[in-house]
Amino acid sequence: MGVGIIMLVHTAFGRAEQVARHWAAAGCPLVIHVDKAVPRKTYDAFVNALSDMPDVRFARRHRCEWGTWGLVAATQDAVKVMLDDFPAVRHVYLASGSCLPLRPVQELIDYLAKRPHTDFIESATTADVPWTMGGLDQERFTLRFPFSWRNHRYLFDKYVALQRLLRFKRRIPNGIVPHMGSQWWCLTRQTLSAILQDPERATYDRYFSKVWIPDESYFQTLVRQYSRQIESRSLTLSKFDYQGKPHIFYDDHLQLLRRSDCFVARKIWPFADRLYQAFLTDQAGAMNRTEPNPGKIDRIFAKAVERRTRGRPGLYMQSRFPVEGRENGLTCAQYSVFEGFSDLFENFEPWLAKMTGMRVHGHLFAPERAEFSDGQTVMNGALSDSAALRDYNPRAFLASLIWNTRGERQCFQFGPRDKQEIEWEIAKDPNAQISVISGAWAVPLFKSNQNFADIRCEAALLQRIESKHLEVLRSQWIKARVRIWTMAEFIEAPMEPLQTIIDEIGQQNLRGLAEVPRMTDLTGFGQFLQNLKNQGMHPYLMGDFPVEHRLHEPQQNQRKPYLVR
């Protein structure tokens, strides 16, 4: 009878009875506390169900709300019953009704018998605890918390704010250093009796009754006053998510729990029949007879938390999509954005698709429609070319396109005539490769048959739009890979940037490009720009573009169209 079990029960009484009989079958006496919020009829039925077991006691009932003193008071009364009624108990193990023994109980008894003076309890100062939630670390010990955080949240917050405003600060009694840790511990008789019989207990109880979440600090602090030897760890496997809520173990966690080598796990789903059947057998060899090591599965839990909070890159879910910074990347794969290329080169999109083997779209954010490759109206994932649907959420449109076509790099055109709402999202996306020929938007105007006054107005508008766009691309917040050429410098030597772009996409060709796109005829373009200047509009984004601008002429000194060779 070296180990006594205290069980705090408030629900799933059928499972609690099953586990209680398992503990008792191994010779462990039990003291059970049932939450006072449980109806009397349910409580009486539970007591009657365990009435055939001589070494089971029931402690005086308290109302146990989360984070309140009732949990500590219930534990104190249960400990007193255990120490008074079972003098042979050397260690007291605190568990809940949802805890499940993972190893034969005799192994726990033998383990503790070899460590008769060791207290197993997480106990660390607030500065050393990484798991506190809600922003109240040291303040939980210096302010008063008479209201329930869960049931009276408004009063809780207002009272905390008032105390901060008045700079109220409680005195910690007798100079004790507050410690925190898991509620689930295993302490020796000597330590527990010293805590309960301390002459200053009334002072400590009065102080901790107004501390926030005292069940994680009362025993964790006072054990430092009396324990002969502390191992600051719990023998119970309990994991919490990033919000501080306990992980629940289901049937498919069977092998994971076996790997932990822990004696007890919490919190078990009441309907996990496979877990209860597997672990309540007490068969020799059900678990390895090794030191409990919950750290062995911490890596798996860390990955689960990361998947829950960050998800897969470029794939959104309800909990992450609306929150800035939690989307784990706008897109799931690399893609290329070309600005000005389709204006400067004839049939640029078919040429790029042929050279790279990639899917090359037109202007996906054109005002009229999304110009999917090959004139398609619906893309993978039933993504429509409708401008109205796209513009409802351009960010989601781009993320869905990249996700639904993953494994195939996407390329598309972008320019000042397109919807600009997406520009920051693309610019901050590390997966984006942006290549810009600034001022190339003027080529379609040069080729158009509009009235020059209309051309001048449109040119001024497009230049303002692209100028702001280039400021975005040169911002310190940019994560995309950006290359910008003025139109004048690009056409001086177009082969080098084209080859660089193709190489970055991943289609390296040591012999150079086997086929080059045909550049549109720019004869008279310099004079066109001069005419814009003469009308009072300064087209500066094209670079230094003289009135008579030629590429290097062939040896025959003949004027030829701008064909890049």
Side-chain angles (χ1 to χ4, degrees), residues 90 170 264 272 284 317 479 481 525:
R90 183 179 57 252
R170 300 180 70 192
V264 180
M317 61 186 251
K479 296 181 180 179
R481 182 173 182 83
F525 185 72

Side-chain angles (χ1 to χ4, degrees), residues 64-327:
C64 299
E65 295 184 31
W66 181 88
T68 63
W69 174 251
L71 286 166
V72 178
T75 304
Q76 289 177 328
D77 285 351
V79 168
K80 186 176 185 306
V81 173
M82 177 67 71
L83 299 183
D84 291 345
D85 288 12
F86 303 102
V89 166
R90 183 179 57 252
H91 276 91
V92 177
Y93 197 110
L94 180 62
S96 73
S98 62
C99 288
L100 177 65
L102 302 182
R103 296 166 63 169
V105 178
Q106 188 59 45
E107 289 188 16
L108 174 62
I109 297 173
D110 296 341
Y111 183 84
L112 295 175
K114 296 177 181 177
R115 300 159 179 82
H117 304 296
T118 303
D119 295 295
F120 295 90
I121 182 172
E122 279 186 346
S123 176
T125 60
T126 55
D128 301 318
V129 171
W131 60 79
T132 55
M133 296 291 173
L136 296 174
D137 295 332
Q138 187 63 34
E139 280 186 324
R140 68 178 63 202
F141 298 109
T142 59
L143 301 181
R144 291 173 58 87
F145 299 91
F147 302 108
S148 169
W149 182 82
R150 282 191 172 176
N151 297 331
H152 302 97
R153 182 64 180 272
Y154 178 81
L155 295 175
F156 181 97
D157 291 341
K158 289 298 182 182
Y159 196 62
V160 168
L162 177 62
Q163 292 178 89
R164 288 172 175 171
L165 179 65
L166 299 177
R167 297 185 179 180
F168 173 80
K169 188 174 182 179
R170 300 180 70 192
R171 184 182 67 85
I172 301 177
N174 299 331
I176 59 175
V177 179
H179 285 65
M180 297 174 59
S182 171
Q183 174 187 0
W184 313 108
W185 41 253
C186 179
L187 300 180
T188 62
R189 168 182 287 272
Q190 291 82 1
T191 299
L192 286 171
S193 60
I195 292 174
L196 296 183
Q197 297 168 11
D198 190 308
E200 296 293 325
R201 177 184 167 185
T203 302
Y204 294 140
D205 287 3
R206 188 163 50 250
Y207 168 75
F208 278 99
S209 66
K210 297 301 183 290
V211 166
W212 193 43
I213 318 181
D215 54 290
E216 293 183 355
S217 58
Y218 179 83
F219 289 99
Q220 293 76 2
T221 299
L222 297 183
V223 74
R224 294 287 176 178
Q225 305 291 108
Y226 311 106
S227 178
R228 296 171 59 180
Q229 182 177 349
I230 294 178
E231 283 207 22
S232 184
R233 62 188 176 100
S234 174
L235 298 179
T236 299
L237 173 65
S238 57
K239 294 294 181 180
F240 297 86
D241 62 16
Y242 73 104
Q243 294 178 320
K245 297 179 180 179
H247 279 288
I248 298 177
F249 293 102
Y250 300 92
D251 280 338
D252 51 358
H253 290 115
L254 175 60
Q255 296 306 320
L256 184 70
L257 293 175
R258 289 192 185 281
R259 290 173 57 186
S260 72
D261 296 329
C262 291
F263 290 110
V264 180
R266 127 178 243 285
K267 185 176 189 180
I268 309 299
W269 187 46
F271 302 101
D273 297 331
R274 186 182 177 195
L275 294 184
Y276 282 96
Q277 182 178 2
F279 289 114
L280 295 186
T281 57
D282 219 14
Q283 296 175 355
M287 296 278 282
N288 296 327
R289 298 177 67 90
T290 59
E291 187 74 18
N293 186 14
K296 290 170 63 175
I297 63 174
D298 282 346
R299 177 180 57 84
I300 299 175
F301 276 89
K303 285 188 174 182
V305 170
E306 183 179 10
R307 175 60 61 87
R308 178 180 178 185
T309 55
R310 302 198 66 199
R312 285 172 281 181
L315 182 63
Y316 297 83
M317 61 186 251
Q318 181 185 11
S319 63
R320 297 193 314 275
F321 183 71
V323 184
E324 180 72 22
R326 286 179 57 184
E327 65 275 2

